[in-house]
Amino acid sequence: MSNKHLEKDPSCKDDFDPKSLSAHAALEQIKASIKPVRGIEKIAIREALNRILAEDVRSRINVPSGTNSAMDGYAVHGTAIPADGTAELTVLGTAWAGKPFAGSVTSENCVRIMTGAIMPEGADTVIIQEDVQVTETGIIIDAATRAGDNVRQAGEDIAVGDLVLTQGRRLNPADIGLLASLGIAEAPVVRRLRVAFFSTGDELRSIGEPLSDGAIYDSNRYTLYGMLERMGADIIDMGVIKDDPNALEEAFAVAAANADVLITSGGVSVGDADYIKDILGKLGQVDFWKVAIKPGRPLAFGHVGDAVFFGLPGNPVSVMVTFYEFVQPALRKMTGEDTTGALTLKARCDSHLKKRPGRVEYQRGILQQDADGNLTVVKTGAQGSGILTSMSQANCFIILPIESSGIEPGMYVDIQPFSGLV
Ligand code: AMP
Ligand code: MG
């Protein structure tokens, strides 16, 4: 990716535009107008992987369920342990994990016990097997073990009634294992969002169609598909719609009637948006914004019928940046997802990054570690908004603040790992 001419962005001469809305203000406006969806499903915990928990989950059992041994050894009564010197105890039998010992222990005797076995009645301490001397009739113990050692108390991990998972959590493999450990077969999750999307543009062809002069394959529907699928949305792919007012009006109406959210790409930049503006004026309430973000400046947002509407720019990288910056937080608010875990990290930038003040930039970077374990980042190459390979090669965004006028190698930058975005 060293085609120098691709580095030029045709719109960079007006990077500073006082009429632009800041990315932060745009996101706040979007979030303020989003309402969480209603609708809870109870589904089997395996199906609940990656879904959003709709209610708090409390434990109905103790974990561990019974007081048990943490080690292989001998279960004794604490008073059997001598203050100094040694004591001899007879062995009554064995307690196995899953096969408890039926009798009870006094200060004269003990029970051989395996890790995980329920403590026999009367015993409160386990002396590990390495610390005893086995005789013909029993064992000899010394003063080294303290009363209560090597025992796991019932409920010491989770007690009955403890809060284990909080509403809004995106369930991960550990969570579904945790639910299983509590004997919970089904989890209450927020229903999937229905998200419709289509691409606009006379130049767009679908895969399988021949490419005539000036035509390009539609990639935005595929990146949108991937990003939405990862979020667990119910997807309605409406294909490519031509730059034709009737076809667009029809598509907007169909989407609004069937989806919670409609996302389009292309056709919202200054110059070609006018009839989309007219149509949306008839069907809903939509604002057209210039957002001080690069890539991805033109953005339409509002409501079409009852559906939330995002009109994303056409350029493939702009689609992804605006999706992650604006659409994803909105969808998360709709499902009530808790997003407190998202990380922004500092890394040493080993590339020269060109930038003009006036917009927040999301450059594409490759995050690595140097030999000393420090986080370092390099850019992926050409950073034009049409260069989708930059997103494919990257594993993070390098976020440059609005006032930044570029980065020299060795300076520190904010990066957002892609793995934290989804
Ligand atoms: P527009 O916002 O419609 O002016 O499009 C901006 C640029 O993005 C143009 O070069 C389009 O050809 C390109 N573009 C628009 N939609 C798509 C798409 N679905 N897939 C790939 N490129 C697109
Ligand atoms: Mg277009």
Side-chain angles (χ1 to χ4, degrees):
M1 286 297 112
S2 60
N3 285 357
K4 272 287 163 221
H5 66 281
L6 291 177
E7 297 255 10
K8 281 226 198 92
D9 180 329
S11 61
C12 64
K13 58 184 169 300
D14 59 352
D15 264 343
F16 178 73
D17 182 341
K19 288 202 289 287
S20 283
L21 193 62
S22 80
H24 179 76
L27 181 58
E28 290 307 306
Q29 279 197 43
I30 289 169
K31 285 211 218 146
S33 72
I34 293 279
K35 288 187 207 69
V37 293
R38 289 171 198 278
I40 295 178
E41 303 173 57
K42 271 219 148 194
I43 57 174
I45 55 174
R46 281 188 204 221
E47 308 303 316
L49 180 64
N50 215 22
R51 299 289 297 272
I52 310 302
L53 195 62
E55 294 164 3
D56 288 350
V57 173
R58 290 180 181 276
S59 181
R60 289 174 291 196
I61 60 170
N62 281 322
V63 180
S65 60
T67 301
N68 67 88
S69 177
M71 303 290 281
D72 291 343
Y74 294 84
V76 303
H77 192 272
T79 55
I81 301 168
D84 48 47
T86 60
E88 185 157 7
L89 304 174
T90 54
V91 179
L92 301 175
T94 304
W96 306 89
K99 228 191 285 166
F101 177 76
S104 59
V105 170
T106 68
S107 55
E108 273 80 54
N109 49 44
C110 67
V111 164
R112 172 96 174 104
I113 194 162
M114 304 302 161
T115 305
I118 294 296
M119 291 293 284
E121 212 182 296
D124 57 13
T125 306
V126 171
I127 302 177
I128 65 173
Q129 58 192 20
E130 291 80 357
D131 287 353
V132 310
Q133 199 185 318
V134 179
T135 65
E136 295 224 325
T137 52
I139 55 168
I140 295 171
I141 62 173
D142 60 22
T145 305
R146 279 167 310 154
D149 276 2
N150 305 312
V151 175
R152 301 189 283 221
Q153 301 299 327
E156 94 177 8
D157 182 4
I158 301 166
V160 172
D162 275 0
L163 179 62
V164 280
L165 292 170
T166 321
Q167 176 187 349
R169 189 173 173 86
R170 182 176 286 270
L171 294 170
N172 66 29
D175 298 335
I176 63 170
L178 190 56
L179 291 168
S181 77
L182 302 177
I184 295 173
E186 291 185 328
V189 298
V190 178
R191 74 162 173 84
R192 290 183 194 277
L193 292 180
R194 282 184 302 274
V195 184
F197 55 90
F198 58 83
S199 297
T200 69
D202 287 340
E203 77 282 23
L204 301 178
R205 298 289 177 274
S206 293
I207 300 170
E209 290 176 4
L211 278 188
S212 47
D213 263 0
I216 56 169
Y217 286 121
D218 169 20
S219 61
N220 291 342
R221 268 166 57 225
Y222 291 82
T223 47
L224 282 171
Y225 161 83
M227 294 185 291
L228 290 165
E229 183 71 21
R230 268 197 178 169
M231 290 198 74
D234 219 349
I235 285 164
I236 308 170
D237 181 349
M238 297 180 63
V240 175
I241 309 294
K242 295 278 181 211
D243 290 320
D244 163 61
N246 294 328
L248 284 165
E249 182 165 350
E250 161 87 16
F252 280 118
V254 168
N258 290 290
D260 300 306
V261 180
L262 167 61
I263 303 171
T264 64
S265 70
V268 289
S269 40
V270 184
D272 60 6
D274 288 351
Y275 51 78
I276 288 196
K277 262 190 192 155
D278 291 344
I279 296 166
L280 293 176
K282 269 197 272 176
L283 298 180
Q285 271 229 311
V286 177
D287 292 323
F288 289 77
W289 293 336
K290 265 188 179 179
V291 185
I293 181 174
K294 183 179 176 178
R297 176 161 13 197
L299 180 71
F301 172 74
H303 289 80
V304 178
D306 289 333
V308 175
F309 171 68
F310 289 92
L312 305 184
N315 275 308
V317 183
S318 306
V319 166
M320 297 193 78
V321 169
T322 51
F323 182 92
Y324 287 131
E325 187 63 17
F326 304 114
V327 182
Q328 184 163 277
L331 300 187
R332 285 179 162 161
K333 180 146 189 219
M334 289 178 86
T335 57
E337 182 176 354
D338 175 11
T339 55
T340 44
L343 290 178
T344 302
L345 308 173
K346 291 252 182 243
R348 190 188 71 226
C349 186
D350 288 344
S351 300
H352 176 87
L353 305 181
K354 281 200 290 187
K355 182 181 182 298
R356 292 170 192 228
R359 296 203 251 171
V360 176
E361 280 198 27
Y362 283 70
Q363 301 209 6
R364 276 74 67 204
I366 300 171
L367 181 66
Q368 294 161 328
Q369 279 183 306
D370 68 14
D372 298 323
N374 302 308
L375 292 181
T376 67
V377 66
V378 291
K379 69 170 186 168
T380 53
Q383 295 287 322
S385 60
I387 298 175
L388 193 52
T389 48
S390 70
M391 278 301 291
S392 166
Q393 288 161 5
N395 62 8
C396 68
F397 282 128
I398 304 170
I399 306 174
L400 302 176
I402 204 158
E403 66 281 359
S404 161
S405 56
I407 294 293
E408 297 302 328
M411 287 167 73
Y412 278 76
V413 289
D414 286 333
I415 64 106
Q416 191 176 27
F418 285 172
S419 59
L421 280 176
V422 290

